[in-house]
Short mmCIF file of all heavy atoms in Angstrom, two decimals:
data_model
loop_
_atom_site.label_atom_id
_atom_site.label_comp_id
_atom_site.label_asym_id
_atom_site.label_seq_id
_atom_site.Cartn_x
_atom_site.Cartn_y
_atom_site.Cartn_z
N SER A 145 -6.57 -2.97 3.04
CA SER A 145 -6.45 -1.55 2.76
C SER A 145 -5.16 -1.15 2.03
O SER A 145 -5.01 0.06 1.66
CB SER A 145 -6.62 -0.76 4.08
OG SER A 145 -5.50 -0.96 4.83
N GLY A 146 -4.27 -2.10 1.83
CA GLY A 146 -3.06 -1.76 1.15
C GLY A 146 -3.05 -1.37 -0.21
O GLY A 146 -2.15 -0.69 -0.76
N VAL A 147 -4.19 -1.59 -0.95
CA VAL A 147 -4.31 -1.23 -2.26
C VAL A 147 -5.75 -0.75 -2.52
O VAL A 147 -6.68 -1.62 -2.29
CB VAL A 147 -4.01 -2.39 -3.29
CG1 VAL A 147 -4.22 -1.86 -4.77
CG2 VAL A 147 -2.53 -2.77 -3.14
N VAL A 148 -5.92 0.45 -2.92
CA VAL A 148 -7.23 0.95 -3.16
C VAL A 148 -7.26 1.71 -4.53
O VAL A 148 -6.33 2.55 -4.77
CB VAL A 148 -7.72 2.02 -2.11
CG1 VAL A 148 -9.07 2.64 -2.46
CG2 VAL A 148 -7.86 1.25 -0.71
N PHE A 149 -8.21 1.41 -5.41
CA PHE A 149 -8.35 2.05 -6.73
C PHE A 149 -9.39 3.15 -6.63
O PHE A 149 -10.55 2.81 -6.24
CB PHE A 149 -8.74 1.06 -7.81
CG PHE A 149 -7.62 0.06 -8.03
CD1 PHE A 149 -7.56 -1.14 -7.27
CD2 PHE A 149 -6.75 0.21 -9.07
CE1 PHE A 149 -6.59 -2.04 -7.54
CE2 PHE A 149 -5.74 -0.74 -9.29
CZ PHE A 149 -5.68 -1.86 -8.55
N VAL A 150 -9.02 4.36 -6.91
CA VAL A 150 -10.01 5.51 -6.83
C VAL A 150 -10.27 5.94 -8.25
O VAL A 150 -9.30 6.51 -8.98
CB VAL A 150 -9.51 6.74 -5.98
CG1 VAL A 150 -10.45 7.86 -6.08
CG2 VAL A 150 -9.26 6.28 -4.55
N ASN A 151 -11.43 5.62 -8.80
CA ASN A 151 -11.67 5.84 -10.24
C ASN A 151 -11.88 7.26 -10.65
O ASN A 151 -11.67 7.62 -11.77
CB ASN A 151 -12.87 4.90 -10.70
CG ASN A 151 -12.69 4.36 -12.11
OD1 ASN A 151 -11.79 4.75 -12.82
ND2 ASN A 151 -13.64 3.57 -12.48
N ASN A 152 -12.43 8.02 -9.65
CA ASN A 152 -12.78 9.48 -9.91
C ASN A 152 -13.74 9.73 -11.14
O ASN A 152 -13.73 10.76 -11.72
CB ASN A 152 -11.50 10.26 -10.14
CG ASN A 152 -11.01 10.89 -8.83
OD1 ASN A 152 -11.75 11.05 -7.92
ND2 ASN A 152 -9.80 11.33 -8.82
N LEU A 153 -14.64 8.69 -11.35
CA LEU A 153 -15.66 8.99 -12.32
C LEU A 153 -16.65 10.04 -11.70
O LEU A 153 -17.24 10.91 -12.46
CB LEU A 153 -16.43 7.65 -12.60
CG LEU A 153 -15.65 6.56 -13.37
CD1 LEU A 153 -16.53 5.39 -13.49
CD2 LEU A 153 -15.16 7.11 -14.66
N SER A 154 -16.83 9.95 -10.33
CA SER A 154 -17.44 11.00 -9.64
C SER A 154 -16.29 11.79 -8.89
O SER A 154 -15.52 11.11 -8.23
CB SER A 154 -18.42 10.42 -8.64
OG SER A 154 -18.84 11.44 -7.73
N PRO A 155 -16.14 13.09 -9.13
CA PRO A 155 -14.94 13.75 -8.71
C PRO A 155 -14.72 13.80 -7.23
O PRO A 155 -13.58 14.11 -6.74
CB PRO A 155 -15.12 15.21 -9.26
CG PRO A 155 -16.58 15.34 -9.52
CD PRO A 155 -17.10 13.92 -9.90
N ASP A 156 -15.73 13.45 -6.39
CA ASP A 156 -15.46 13.50 -5.03
C ASP A 156 -15.52 12.15 -4.39
O ASP A 156 -15.55 12.06 -3.17
CB ASP A 156 -16.62 14.35 -4.36
CG ASP A 156 -17.97 13.81 -4.45
OD1 ASP A 156 -18.16 12.90 -5.29
OD2 ASP A 156 -18.88 14.24 -3.75
N CYS A 157 -15.41 11.04 -5.12
CA CYS A 157 -15.47 9.71 -4.56
C CYS A 157 -14.33 9.39 -3.67
O CYS A 157 -14.58 8.72 -2.63
CB CYS A 157 -15.58 8.70 -5.63
SG CYS A 157 -14.20 8.51 -6.73
N GLY A 158 -13.15 9.87 -3.90
CA GLY A 158 -11.93 9.57 -3.02
C GLY A 158 -12.18 10.23 -1.68
O GLY A 158 -12.09 9.57 -0.60
N GLN A 159 -12.66 11.44 -1.67
CA GLN A 159 -12.83 12.15 -0.43
C GLN A 159 -14.02 11.50 0.32
O GLN A 159 -13.88 11.27 1.57
CB GLN A 159 -13.13 13.59 -0.71
CG GLN A 159 -13.52 14.39 0.50
CD GLN A 159 -14.05 15.85 0.14
OE1 GLN A 159 -14.73 16.47 0.91
NE2 GLN A 159 -13.88 16.29 -1.12
N ARG A 160 -15.02 11.11 -0.34
CA ARG A 160 -16.14 10.53 0.35
C ARG A 160 -15.85 9.16 0.91
O ARG A 160 -16.28 8.79 2.06
CB ARG A 160 -17.32 10.36 -0.63
CG ARG A 160 -18.02 11.72 -1.03
CD ARG A 160 -18.91 11.58 -2.17
NE ARG A 160 -19.89 10.50 -2.12
CZ ARG A 160 -20.54 9.92 -3.05
NH1 ARG A 160 -20.21 10.20 -4.29
NH2 ARG A 160 -21.44 9.00 -2.82
N PHE A 161 -15.04 8.34 0.25
CA PHE A 161 -14.69 7.02 0.69
C PHE A 161 -13.86 7.12 1.96
O PHE A 161 -14.08 6.35 2.95
CB PHE A 161 -13.94 6.34 -0.41
CG PHE A 161 -13.57 4.87 -0.04
CD1 PHE A 161 -14.52 3.90 0.24
CD2 PHE A 161 -12.17 4.59 0.00
CE1 PHE A 161 -14.09 2.67 0.56
CE2 PHE A 161 -11.79 3.26 0.34
CZ PHE A 161 -12.87 2.30 0.59
N TYR A 162 -12.83 8.02 1.98
CA TYR A 162 -12.01 8.08 3.16
C TYR A 162 -12.68 8.77 4.32
O TYR A 162 -12.46 8.56 5.47
CB TYR A 162 -10.68 8.68 2.77
CG TYR A 162 -9.75 7.70 2.05
CD1 TYR A 162 -9.53 7.79 0.65
CD2 TYR A 162 -9.17 6.60 2.75
CE1 TYR A 162 -8.82 6.86 -0.04
CE2 TYR A 162 -8.45 5.69 2.00
CZ TYR A 162 -8.28 5.75 0.64
OH TYR A 162 -7.44 4.86 -0.03
#
Side-chain angles (χ1 to χ4, degrees):
S145 65
V147 179
V148 175
F149 295 83
V150 178
N151 212 358
N152 264 344
L153 296 176
S154 170
D156 64 345
C157 65
Q159 178 189 162
R160 288 165 57 202
F161 181 63
Y162 285 105

